Amino acid sequence: MNYSMLKTLIPIIVVGSLVACQDGESEQSPTAESQTSVSSAAEVKAEAMPIEKPVAENTSAKADLSYLNDEHSYANKDEVLLKHLDLNLEVLFDKKQLKGYVDLKFERLQADAKKLVLDTRDLTIEKVSSIDGQANESAAEFELAEKDPVLGSKLTIKLKDGEDTVRVYYHSNPEASGLQWLTPEQTAGKKEPFMFSQAQAIHARSFIPVQDSPDVRVTYKANIRTPKQLLAVMSAFNEPDTELDGDYHFDMPQAIPPYLIAIGVGDLRFKAMGERTGVYSEVAYLDAAVKEFEDTEQMIDITEKMYGPYLWGRYDLLILPPSFPFGGMENPRLSFITPTVIAGDKSLVNLIAHELAHSWSGNLVTNATWRDLWLNEGFTSYVENRIMEELFGVERANMENALSVQGLREQVKTLPVGDTILHITLDGRDPDDTFSGVPYTKGQMFLVFLEQRFGREVFDQFLNQYFGDHAFKSLTTPEFEVYLQKHLIDKYPGKVTQAELNEWLHAPMLPEFMPNPQSDAFANVDKARQNWLDKNVELADLPTDKWSIHEWLHFINNLPKDISLEQMAQLDKAYNLTASSNNEVAHAWLKLAIQRDYQVVNQRLEDYLISIGRRKLIVPLYKELMTSDKGESFAKRVYQIARPGYHPLAQGTVDAIVNAENTE
Ligand code: BES
Ligand code: ZN
């Protein structure tokens, strides 16, 4: 192997004293061990655990063990397994770089392992050192391979006998796929810059050299230096009243997969919501966010009652700039949230239920590869809806399910057929490119199906035990099948057949026996819409006064495909839909307007696409625009303006749609 040799001994860098020390010791929340009474999940230990792989039995995958490999990581995790990271990084806004070093502590699964293989993407590796038991550094040989377009560059570090820590000096680059650097003008406050990470699925490697597989779990500590007036927060313990001094210390004592390592830096303030919940945000959104999400504490209580204790201590929200490419991201102890859901009426807070639910499904019990994403997102969508049902009642929960299922039914018609399979085959594709509602809503409906067949009580017990038995572990779909068979199917024979299970997990499209959530409220909306279309009533006489956002969405989504421009104008006049401040309603209306070439919306559409970077809200609009010549030139013109404000992930997606890679 062609290692580049570093000849000199490297002096140890001493990190400056840490004024704002945020270690986990002062944390109030009970540890897993102190909460043994609630449920089986309480019996787990909230600490790094060796990953034990149950062998799949009775499944078709028995002969083919390839599913155990994570095709999206170069890591030699069967030989050497990362256990802990110590990050020492400076946040350099002028250079758009994170710069410093990381100490990687590992365990040898094979005693004679000679190398540690890590994932990187667009990282500059400055040097690599071995750290001995006395914390002395000595040069280590390493090789950085050519970049693969999906996986990035494999970093191979030669190990010395007996050593268990290496130090990598590196910096990220401005184009890091997992970071967004915002200028002050791109923030709400306009005075200070902002930077945030988004590591899922395979972007942690663009800011940390790491074994970037969801099958690896690490604890971490971090020293982060920022401009003095800014606050850094991480997916770790955050001290609510940290002093602003540009020197921050984090501790994440629970082992998490690298895709959950997260950092945000900006002109942030904190406001508490409950005892263990609060909001970090720019001042502009802070009060509105606290009001909108004030039920978060109650959501935790509800979920604990159903599925066992919340094991992560605090649960805070970080409100990001509107360019955040997702609705939310379940970074442990600190979910990252788009401001586009601050609607003023709590109509979109299922997002918070969703990210919180990941504290059980996803963060505690994790998909082992990105083929198994449905184990994260399907379970989470299920738990999310259960939380919504408890908090807001069954009618709202039904409406949200009915909307999701209708969206799914429409989406599967447009997807490559293989991408409608829950246990999807990725064949080396970038997981970002196969993102769809399938792992979410088809996965959720599979669990609703099981709940209906076995009854809620039995199914809840099963889920509870599932979370407890797999806490702080990762599993694959075949492993889940073995577990499901043993703990549910075989226990209550005659309720679900093997053929049904296979259809759910391995067949394309949607099973005929998929649950079809119904909502009485939506039935009334259907009647009202039809009455108007049949010219039996005027719009002014429709009973829309008390309609929720969900009813409006159902109303708009089911307007006839050939609705006339005159009817569009009538609706707009009566309900002011073009000016709707609810971003979901605006999205649904703008999409229909593009389909019908209702040009009255054009200015609103342009503003919408420029001010929001959340992929779910903008991507369908660009796709719709690209179906006509006129729309295409509109999309290209507006994208030129919008693109610099988008996150690299959103840029990648929209570039592919408008085919305008060279717009900068
Ligand atoms: N973990 C996801 C976001 C994600 C998934 C990022 C896959 C990268 C790869 C997050 O929990 C999520 O699902 N967000 C949704 C929430 C919605 C379903 C309520 C979103 O952003 O829209
Ligand atoms: Zn999710």
Side-chain angles (χ1 to χ4, degrees):
M1 203 170 284
N2 185 18
Y3 291 106
S4 66
M5 183 66 186
L6 285 172
K7 298 179 198 82
T8 47
L9 276 182
I10 297 146
I12 300 166
I13 291 185
V14 180
V15 178
S17 70
L18 300 163
V19 184
C21 183
Q22 303 189 333
D23 64 33
E25 284 160 25
S26 56
E27 202 172 349
Q28 302 280 303
S29 306
T31 63
E33 286 88 340
S34 68
Q35 300 183 333
T36 46
S37 63
V38 186
S39 80
S40 59
E43 287 151 27
V44 303
K45 288 204 192 312
E47 61 189 30
M49 287 188 181
I51 294 163
E52 290 160 9
K53 286 271 154 247
V55 177
E57 306 154 347
N58 303 329
T59 77
S60 52
K62 193 176 177 184
D64 172 16
L65 294 178
S66 61
Y67 66 83
L68 285 175
N69 294 327
D70 180 356
E71 63 193 310
H72 293 103
S73 171
Y74 287 116
N76 59 337
K77 59 195 169 69
D78 297 333
E79 293 176 356
V80 179
L81 197 53
L82 284 188
K83 289 308 213 178
H84 178 80
L85 312 182
D86 280 307
L87 289 155
N88 276 277
L89 294 172
E90 190 160 355
V91 183
L92 301 173
F93 279 99
D94 50 343
K95 293 187 173 158
K96 298 189 181 173
Q97 285 180 2
L98 292 181
K99 183 173 168 65
Y101 64 86
V102 58
D103 283 352
L104 303 151
K105 293 208 165 66
F106 52 84
E107 186 180 298
R108 286 165 197 262
L109 303 183
Q110 290 179 17
D112 59 348
K114 299 269 183 292
K115 59 183 194 300
L116 169 66
V117 183
L118 303 173
D119 297 295
T120 76
R121 181 188 294 122
D122 299 324
L123 291 184
T124 301
I125 306 300
E126 294 158 2
K127 61 185 173 185
V128 181
S129 309
S130 296
I131 309 287
D132 71 14
Q134 279 73 50
N136 296 316
E137 280 189 48
S138 61
E141 295 176 30
F142 69 95
E143 185 195 13
L144 189 62
E146 282 290 299
K147 178 178 173 181
D148 173 273
V150 175
L151 300 181
S153 305
K154 170 162 89 168
L155 173 63
T156 308
I157 299 171
K158 195 171 177 183
L159 298 182
K160 295 173 185 155
D161 287 347
E163 84 178 319
D164 67 358
T165 305
V166 292
R167 177 171 295 177
V168 180
Y169 290 86
Y170 72 99
H171 61 261
S172 68
N173 281 293
E175 69 275 20
S177 59
L179 300 177
Q180 189 180 12
W181 299 87
L182 298 170
T183 62
E185 300 70 48
Q186 292 173 307
T187 67
K190 311 276 178 225
K191 287 209 185 82
E192 301 290 350
F194 203 117
M195 185 279 295
F196 63 87
S197 67
Q198 167 57 41
Q200 195 183 9
I202 53 171
H203 303 285
R205 65 191 67 179
S206 74
F207 57 97
I208 306 172
V210 69
Q211 291 186 320
D212 193 9
S213 166
D215 194 22
V216 171
R217 296 185 95 85
V218 293
T219 53
Y220 76 82
K221 287 189 180 171
N223 295 324
I224 305 292
R225 284 171 303 284
T226 72
K228 268 198 175 54
Q229 68 282 18
L230 301 186
L231 181 65
V233 288
M234 289 192 81
S235 56
F237 181 69
N238 291 280
E239 181 77 69
D241 38 27
T242 299
E243 194 187 327
L244 272 186
D245 63 358
D247 196 353
Y248 304 102
H249 180 205
F250 302 93
D251 188 2
M252 183 45 160
Q254 290 148 306
I256 56 168
Y259 78 85
L260 293 175
I261 300 176
I263 179 167
V265 179
D267 189 6
L268 299 170
R269 297 289 177 276
F270 175 81
K271 200 160 181 179
M273 292 190 290
E275 230 172 79
R276 50 182 167 170
T277 52
V279 173
Y280 290 91
S281 168
E282 283 194 70
V283 168
Y285 303 122
L286 191 60
D287 288 336
V290 165
K291 188 92 203 71
E292 194 83 9
F293 307 135
E294 67 188 358
D295 300 322
T296 306
E297 193 87 27
Q298 215 184 324
M299 287 184 177
I300 303 180
D301 296 342
I302 287 169
T303 323
E304 287 189 311
K305 279 210 186 80
M306 294 192 291
Y307 303 117
Y310 177 77
L311 293 173
W312 305 88
R314 291 194 58 82
Y315 181 70
D316 296 316
L317 306 174
L318 171 64
I319 310 301
L320 291 157
S323 65
F324 184 52
F326 292 97
M329 178 65 211
E330 66 271 26
N331 298 315
R333 302 181 181 211
L334 183 70
S335 285
F336 283 23
I337 302 293
T338 173
T340 64
V341 293
I342 306 174
D345 58 2
K346 301 185 182 177
S347 55
L348 307 177
V349 298
N350 66 301
L351 178 83
I352 307 299
H354 181 96
E355 303 315 334
L356 171 68
H358 273 304
S359 307
W360 286 260
S361 43
N363 300 1
L364 197 59
V365 182
T366 307
N367 52 210
T369 79
W370 298 115
R371 295 187 60 193
D372 310 302
L373 179 66
W374 79 274
L375 287 173
N376 276 17
E377 299 301 345
F379 277 69
T380 295
S381 301
Y382 175 84
V383 174
E384 164 201 330
N385 198 255
R386 292 290 303 275
I387 299 171
M388 294 305 286
E389 181 182 323
E390 284 299 313
L391 194 56
F392 295 100
V394 73
E395 187 52 58
R396 174 155 176 188
N398 285 345
M399 288 195 287
E400 293 190 353
N401 277 344
L403 285 169
S404 309
V405 167
Q406 187 180 9
L408 176 68
R409 287 192 192 283
E410 260 145 48
Q411 197 183 34
V412 291
K413 293 183 212 150
T414 69
L415 292 174
V417 69
D419 291 1
T420 64
I421 298 174
L422 276 184
H423 190 221
I424 188 174
T425 302
L426 293 174
D427 277 336
R429 281 181 299 165
D430 187 333
D432 285 344
D433 295 344
T434 63
F435 188 80
S436 81
V438 170
Y440 288 78
T441 308
K442 186 178 177 183
Q444 179 195 358
M445 286 304 121
F446 173 39
L447 302 188
V448 171
F449 163 86
L450 292 174
E451 180 201 303
Q452 290 176 353
R453 289 288 175 92
F454 292 94
R456 192 170 262 196
E457 200 181 323
V458 167
F459 190 61
D460 276 355
Q461 271 166 15
F462 166 78
L463 270 190
N464 230 291
Q465 194 185 348
Y466 167 76
F467 292 139
D469 286 349
H470 297 90
F472 297 98
K473 290 184 188 157
S474 307
L475 81 166
T476 62
T477 302
E479 286 164 348
F480 171 74
E481 288 179 82
V482 173
Y483 186 87
L484 178 72
Q485 192 75 38
K486 180 162 172 211
H487 294 274
L488 194 64
I489 311 287
D490 290 351
K491 248 179 154 172
Y492 304 93
K495 298 213 184 282
V496 171
T497 66
Q498 193 60 48
E500 286 170 325
L501 289 180
N502 277 339
E503 184 161 351
W504 273 113
L505 294 169
H506 305 291
M509 305 310 280
L510 306 175
E512 244 176 57
F513 45 84
M514 181 167 100
N516 201 17
Q518 296 296 325
S519 147
D520 295 342
F522 282 3
N524 290 331
V525 172
D526 289 335
K527 276 187 213 138
R529 188 194 314 99
Q530 201 53 50
N531 267 334
W532 170 61
L533 290 167
D534 292 345
K535 302 199 167 40
N536 296 331
V537 288
E538 297 291 318
L539 286 176
D541 298 326
L542 291 187
T544 57
D545 279 4
K546 295 204 169 59
W547 279 5
S548 64
I549 290 302
H550 308 91
E551 285 156 298
W552 278 112
L553 287 171
H554 182 73
F555 179 80
I556 297 168
N557 289 342
N558 293 283
L559 284 165
K561 297 269 171 285
D562 59 354
I563 185 170
S564 70
L565 290 180
E566 198 194 323
Q567 286 170 313
M568 293 283 289
Q570 283 174 21
L571 288 167
D572 217 1
K573 188 161 172 237
Y575 307 131
N576 224 350
L577 293 170
T578 300
S580 172
S581 61
N582 185 289
N583 288 310
E584 292 281 355
V585 168
H587 170 88
W589 177 249
L590 291 172
K591 197 166 151 207
L592 181 68
I594 300 168
Q595 282 161 356
R596 301 308 304 147
D597 196 20
Y598 176 63
Q599 295 183 20
V600 175
V601 301
N602 280 6
Q603 188 57 48
R604 170 77 171 118
L605 177 60
E606 178 169 343
D607 296 344
Y608 190 91
L609 292 172
I610 291 169
S611 62
I612 295 177
R614 183 179 171 192
R615 284 201 308 190
K616 181 188 139 190
L617 295 179
I618 58 171
V619 165
L621 300 181
Y622 280 109
K623 279 192 177 152
E624 208 57 70
L625 282 166
M626 292 304 286
T627 59
S628 76
D629 288 346
K630 216 186 318 163
E632 181 175 336
S633 55
F634 180 92
K636 289 192 164 160
R637 180 180 65 75
V638 173
Y639 186 44
Q640 293 251 7
I641 308 168
R643 191 179 189 277
Y646 287 175
H647 185 281
L649 291 179
Q651 289 179 345
T653 312
V654 182
D655 283 352
I657 294 165
V658 307
N659 195 16
E661 288 90 335
N662 304 319
T663 48
E664 269 191 338

